[in-house]
Amino acid sequence: HVQLVESGGGSVQAGGSLRLSCVVSGHSRGSNCVGWYCLPPGGEREGVARIATGSGNTYYADSVKGRFTISQDNAKNTVYLQMNSLKPEDTAMYYCALDPGSIPRCHDRLAFSYWGQGTQVTVS
């Protein structure tokens, strides 16, 4: 079965950087949609970025454009979220999620089938 394991979270000062990793196993080969979500303290889960693993197309929330970059290393079955210029409002639990297949378009997915356990990011 599909498993996603996040790592790379931690505590950092405002303006700093972190790189989150999501190792995916048990998934089908071919194109999937992998996304990063955040759950701020006392807030609601929000989409941060997505990548269509077949085409490499990426999508970002407006709040992170220009600061965060989602990428993949197919040889390592890993999707990364490079987070630069971090702000205190980026403090959240970050989750990666996968929805299999190439249809519908990754940007249009309304729900993800598989989720990781999350990694905490704290910006002070």
Side-chain angles (χ1 to χ4, degrees):
H1 65 287
V2 177
Q3 285 189 311
L4 300 96
V5 179
E6 304 97 331
S7 63
S11 297
V12 64
Q13 290 188 337
S17 298
L18 285 173
R19 188 177 77 160
L20 306 184
S21 300
C22 174
V23 179
V24 183
S25 61
H27 61 296
S28 61
R29 296 294 180 183
S31 184
N32 298 290
C33 181
V34 177
W36 283 97
Y37 282 77
C38 68
L39 180 61
E44 297 183 354
R45 190 174 63 191
E46 305 170 3
V48 174
R50 298 181 180 189
I51 185 166
T53 60
S55 65
N57 288 338
T58 58
Y59 312 92
Y60 296 94
D62 288 342
S63 60
V64 306
K65 283 181 181 176
R67 299 190 299 124
F68 291 8
T69 303
I70 189 170
S71 62
Q72 60 180 335
D73 184 333
N74 291 331
K76 296 182 178 180
N77 292 325
T78 301
V79 173
Y80 301 101
L81 185 68
Q82 179 66 44
M83 310 166 70
N84 297 331
S85 301
L86 282 161
K87 305 174 181 180
E89 51 264 43
D90 295 319
T91 294
M93 184 73 80
Y94 283 76
Y95 299 88
C96 70
L98 181 145
D99 200 50
S102 58
I103 297 173
R105 191 177 60 158
C106 189
H107 182 263
D108 297 328
R109 303 287 173 108
L110 298 179
F112 283 74
S113 300
Y114 305 98
W115 292 82
Q117 82 290 348
T119 186
Q120 178 68 39
V121 172
T122 302
V123 185
S124 58

